[in-house]
């Protein structure tokens, strides 16, 4: 079975600091896509960042970046200069070729002032 | 911006009722999805639709059906609601296919309680 594991159910970080959310996945596929989605409290889930497995360069979107370790099947999200608006549930998702997206259980991140 | 609108944020129904959850998107997307979100389980796909009147089962279709009579509207139906269907339901749409790497656009969710 192809699964996604987020080992940190809850995390907190002080405003302006850096935090890393972990994600591991299990697959025998060589090509696939990885995503981080953010779900703020009572608001829509939105895409934060995505990575294609065949690309070695780690994706970056402003304060958000990933550390993609293909051999280790790891896809962590780093949030720099954390802001109060980053408080949300974060879902790691993995999509193998020709298959549905698989979501992790989520990490609830709280940014403290 | 893509807007996906779910008709209710909160809904309370009774066991055995037939329940309709409605979703409308305004971007002319062919593809629409219904997910269920439960604590500790993430999101699980219930049904997918790639065109009007076309549907495919996801991981957990049992106890649910869907209707897509118009391109912009995708309805999830609980034929006879049960307490184990108490959950958050998320609708999403996408311009690309079921297995595409294009992002899905989500609605706000409907928190459904079955008493």
């Amino acid at each position: 079975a192809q699964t996604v594991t987020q080992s940190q159910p809850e995390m907190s970080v002080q405003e302006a600091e850096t935090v890393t959310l972990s994600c591991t996945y299990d697959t025998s596929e060589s090509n696939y896509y990885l995503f981080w989605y953010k779900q703020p409290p009572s608001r829509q889930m939105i895409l934060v960042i995505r990575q294609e497995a065949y690309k070695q360069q780690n994706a970056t979107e402003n304060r958000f970046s990933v550390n993609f370790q293909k051999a280790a099947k790891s896809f962590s999200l780093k949030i720099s200069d954390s802001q109060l608006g980053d408080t949300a549930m974060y879902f790691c998702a993995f999509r193998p070729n020709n298959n549905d997206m698989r979501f992790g259980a989520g990490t609830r991140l709280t940014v403290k002032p | 911006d893509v807007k996906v609108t779910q008709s209710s944020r909160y809904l309370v129904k009774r066991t055995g009722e037939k329940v309709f959850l409605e979703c409308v998107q305004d971007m002319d997307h062919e593809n629409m999805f219904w997910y269920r979100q439960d604590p500790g389980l993430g999101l699980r796909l219930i049904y997918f639709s790639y065109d009007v009147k076309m549907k495919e089962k996801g991981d957990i279709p049992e106890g649910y059906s869907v209707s897509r009579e118009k391109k912009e509207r995708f309805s999830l139906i609980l034929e006879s609601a049960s307490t184990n269907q108490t959950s958050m339901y998320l609708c999403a749409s996408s311009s690309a296919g079921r297995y595409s790497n294009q992002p899905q656009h989500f609605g706000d969710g409907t928190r459904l309680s079955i008493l």
Side-chain angles (χ1 to χ4, degrees):
Chain A
Q2 299 181 107
T3 58
V4 181
T5 302
Q6 294 179 249
S7 58
Q8 307 146 316
E10 294 189 17
M11 294 188 72
S12 63
V13 63
Q14 290 295 134
E15 195 174 7
E17 293 187 349
T18 295
V19 64
T20 299
L21 309 184
S22 65
C23 174
T24 59
Y25 54 93
D26 184 27
T27 184
S28 58
E29 303 279 340
S30 59
N31 197 24
Y32 44 86
Y33 304 95
L34 295 156
F35 307 82
W36 277 99
Y37 278 89
K38 168 186 177 181
Q39 186 181 41
S42 301
R43 290 175 59 192
Q44 290 178 336
M45 184 145 62
I46 58 172
L47 178 68
V48 175
I49 200 166
R50 62 180 166 177
Q51 173 88 36
E52 295 173 52
Y54 66 86
K55 290 186 177 179
Q56 294 186 345
Q57 187 173 6
N58 288 326
T60 300
E61 290 286 342
N62 301 314
R63 297 182 295 106
F64 299 86
S65 62
V66 298
N67 183 6
F68 174 46
Q69 303 286 331
K70 191 171 184 178
K73 297 178 184 176
S74 170
F75 183 60
S76 60
L77 175 70
K78 185 171 84 171
I79 306 173
S80 304
D81 185 25
S82 297
Q83 300 175 0
L84 297 179
D86 295 334
T87 291
M89 181 74 88
Y90 287 83
F91 291 96
C92 177
F94 153 77
R95 186 200 298 283
N97 269 341
N98 298 319
N99 214 321
D100 288 318
M101 192 141 62
R102 301 292 173 191
F103 289 84
T107 295
R108 186 176 302 280
L109 176 68
T110 302
V111 180
K112 298 180 178 178
Chain B
D1 282 350
V2 175
K3 186 144 182 76
V4 179
T5 303
Q6 294 184 230
S7 55
S8 304
R9 292 296 303 273
Y10 301 94
L11 205 54
V12 180
K13 296 291 182 181
R14 296 205 172 275
T15 304
E17 280 192 70
K18 190 169 186 176
V19 181
F20 294 84
L21 303 184
E22 307 288 346
C23 174
V24 177
Q25 50 96 1
D26 67 356
M27 283 302 292
D28 202 34
H29 285 170
E30 289 82 13
N31 306 283
M32 298 187 74
F33 306 75
W34 272 108
Y35 290 93
R36 174 175 169 158
Q37 180 182 351
D38 297 291
L41 297 178
L43 278 70
R44 294 177 291 166
L45 182 65
I46 305 172
Y47 266 100
F48 163 74
S49 171
Y50 55 93
D51 202 349
V52 174
K53 296 190 186 295
M54 307 305 289
K55 62 185 180 184
E56 292 178 352
K57 293 180 180 179
D59 291 328
I60 51 166
E62 296 79 18
Y64 303 95
S65 63
V66 289
S67 171
R68 188 139 180 230
E69 297 296 323
K70 294 184 178 181
K71 191 175 185 180
E72 67 271 18
R73 185 180 297 271
F74 191 32
S75 303
L76 179 70
I77 303 159
L78 285 66
E79 297 290 344
S80 178
S82 64
T83 54
N84 62 12
Q85 292 178 308
T86 291
S87 186
M88 170 74 89
Y89 291 87
L90 294 177
C91 176
S93 75
S94 171
S95 59
R98 178 172 179 172
Y99 304 135
S100 167
N101 66 328
Q102 294 301 311
Q104 296 176 15
H105 303 272
F106 287 86
D108 287 343
T110 296
R111 189 167 295 280
L112 174 65
S113 296
I114 306 296
L115 305 179

